[in-house]
Amino acid sequence: MTSSTNSTISSETRVRVRYAETDQMGVVYHANYLVWFEVGRVEHIRQLGLDYKSMESDEGCFIAVVEASARYKAPARYDDELIIRTGIAHTRGSIIRFDYAVHRAADDLLLCEGTTTHIVVDRQMRRAPMPTHYAEAFRKSLSGTTD
Amino acid sequence: MTSSTNSTISSETRVRVRYAETDQMGVVYHANYLVWFEVGRVEHIRQLGLDYKSMESDEGCFIAVVEASARYKAPARYDDELIIRTGIAHTRGSIIRFDYAVHRAADDLLLCEGTTTHIVVDRQMRRAPMPTHYAEAFRKSLSGTTD
Amino acid sequence: MTSSTNSTISSETRVRVRYAETDQMGVVYHANYLVWFEVGRVEHIRQLGLDYKSMESDEGCFIAVVEASARYKAPARYDDELIIRTGIAHTRGSIIRFDYAVHRAADDLLLCEGTTTHIVVDRQMRRAPMPTHYAEAFRKSLSGTTD
Amino acid sequence: MTSSTNSTISSETRVRVRYAETDQMGVVYHANYLVWFEVGRVEHIRQLGLDYKSMESDEGCFIAVVEASARYKAPARYDDELIIRTGIAHTRGSIIRFDYAVHRAADDLLLCEGTTTHIVVDRQMRRAPMPTHYAEAFRKSLSGTTD
């Protein structure tokens, strides 16, 4: 994650680790971070004044994941409170990329960082244009330096 | 589970415990049994010559869960192979109840037994009649003694 | 759920439905309610001034689920905010039973109610006594009328 | 995925998509592919004559995930049978990288490909050496051309 993409991180949301999210290694099972990225993404969109739920129901648009990656730095443990920091790293046409950093709230230790790339699709999973007011809000949320 | 409902148990399917399904207690997280019940239910319907996927796509019918219960007898552990035995305990109108027993394959130890009750609903989640050929197949799979 | 058990419900916690928790029926997959019951249970214990995490790490005690049930009244949908109301319905020796009611925050509609029964076990999953100060706190949280 | 890493892909395992794994977009929720990667990884290790379960219980070694990525090509749908092809792309010291490709069994369509990188850790999550006979088996499974 370069400094230019870090500069776009602009929203925070918190989750507490559920017992169901741990595994027998005694730490959080790694796939759950992708779920938390989604929690961060939805809250980020909400903080831009938009609503992903309405994007689906009103516009018939879905943002399907085309790529996801995560780098695990330190384990999250049961009952830890976590901060998910989310930003839009890039958007053009029907493509949008989000960056994430998950920190432990108690000491702000970085646990995981990652990225997801999405394309807008319609109900039949065919590529579709990004609705205009979403595209504008997403672009505005970007710092000038990315892309 | 009474002997009359046990007598209807007629299909078996196998799953292997995934790491993701364990928790930090070192055993399977209890909610996963409901997922395995679903695996058993779908296979049971398939073994009756039907197909739940088509029931949704062709008939526009869904079987929504209205009640679920599980009694946990012994823990399943990572990498255990499990046998899910599934039967229809009861069906009438748009209601259907399935019984389940999950055994460890290695020694047939009973790990969990449970039941789920469903009603047929349409796409808008309104109660709907059971499609006729499903209703007939479900009734035929029952032993004479239940209900 | 009888009025006597309802009277013990004493803590509330909120969750927002995650996309990962929906299924292709367009509503929350039913097994997720057991996970939310756990979220409610942990918060209830915390509000009694205790800490389930410490119970595991300091006392070497775990509360294993021996029975769980849920009755589904109305579907939860993506992005809904939910209120989980949790109470202790019964406790004696190493057994403890929790009751739950999940309501939609927007209109307080009851979506699901359920119960889980637990026994205290040690690291080897053998039945163990409830640590004294947990037992006392749990009993105090009960109203006088249950069981 | 270059041809040199493809050449190491040597085991196959099958899963059927569970209802629980779908989301309201009507396709599989993307985080589940990481769980299937794990299913493929465990089976791959088993097909090398090893046993990840024993690695944990007998050697006190765990392979913690340090990086994961997935590229989604086409959606998996409910009840689809999938083939997970898994291979070891690289191993050195306590590091091991696996490659995965998930295909739809019906027509062998590529749905997703990905990679996970792991390090060996002990029970306290500290970096540990790879047990010798695991290291040897993993190296032998590599084609001569990778790294």
Side-chain angles (χ1 to χ4, degrees), chain D:
Chain D
M1 207 178 275
T2 68
S3 56
S4 64
T5 57
N6 267 330
S7 66
T8 70
I9 289 184
S10 57
S11 75
E12 288 193 0
T13 183
R14 286 171 183 244
V15 293
R16 191 181 283 278
V17 175
R18 301 171 177 182
Y19 210 88
E21 293 165 338
T22 63
D23 66 25
Q24 71 178 36
M25 218 178 282
V27 299
V28 166
Y29 185 74
H30 67 286
N32 290 300
Y33 289 85
L34 296 198
V35 178
W36 296 336
F37 290 173
E38 175 233 303
V39 172
R41 189 162 67 243
V42 167
E43 287 305 317
H44 187 67
I45 291 173
R46 201 188 316 278
Q47 290 182 25
L48 296 178
L50 301 170
D51 177 6
Y52 178 65
K53 191 178 186 175
S54 305
M55 188 171 163
E56 284 200 357
S57 57
D58 300 350
E59 315 276 347
C61 280
F62 300 79
I63 54 169
V65 182
V66 292
E67 195 161 346
S69 67
R71 291 174 300 288
Y72 304 93
K73 305 297 185 180
R77 293 178 185 276
Y78 168 60
D79 213 39
D80 280 354
E81 194 184 22
L82 307 180
I83 302 171
I84 308 159
R85 297 197 171 91
T86 307
I88 295 172
H90 173 82
T91 181
R92 191 166 51 185
S94 54
I95 293 176
I96 183 163
R97 203 183 85 219
F98 291 86
D99 282 343
Y100 313 89
V102 178
H103 290 250
R104 185 163 62 197
D107 56 3
D108 208 45
L109 180 70
L110 176 64
L111 304 182
C112 180
E113 52 187 10
T115 186
T116 59
T117 306
H118 306 257
I119 58 162
V120 179
V121 294
D122 63 16
R123 286 187 199 285
Q124 284 70 47
M125 299 293 288
R126 291 172 307 208
R127 193 161 174 157
M130 177 87 70
T132 312
H133 63 291
Y134 289 87
E136 278 171 18
F138 292 156
R139 270 198 303 271
K140 275 184 199 162
S141 81
L142 284 169
S143 72
T145 54
T146 52
D147 199 353

Side-chain angles (χ1 to χ4, degrees), chain B residues 41 45 50 52 54-67 88 90-98 116-136 138-139, chain C residues 25:
Chain B
R41 189 162 65 242
I45 292 173
L50 301 169
Y52 178 65
S54 304
M55 188 171 162
E56 283 200 357
S57 58
D58 299 349
E59 314 277 346
C61 280
F62 301 79
I63 54 169
V65 182
V66 292
E67 196 162 346
I88 295 172
H90 172 81
T91 182
R92 192 166 51 184
S94 55
I95 294 177
I96 183 162
R97 204 183 85 220
F98 292 86
T116 59
T117 306
H118 306 257
I119 58 161
V120 179
V121 295
D122 63 17
R123 285 186 199 287
Q124 283 70 45
M125 298 294 288
R126 292 172 307 207
R127 193 160 175 157
M130 178 86 72
T132 312
H133 64 291
Y134 289 87
E136 278 171 17
F138 291 156
R139 270 198 303 272
Chain C
M25 217 177 283

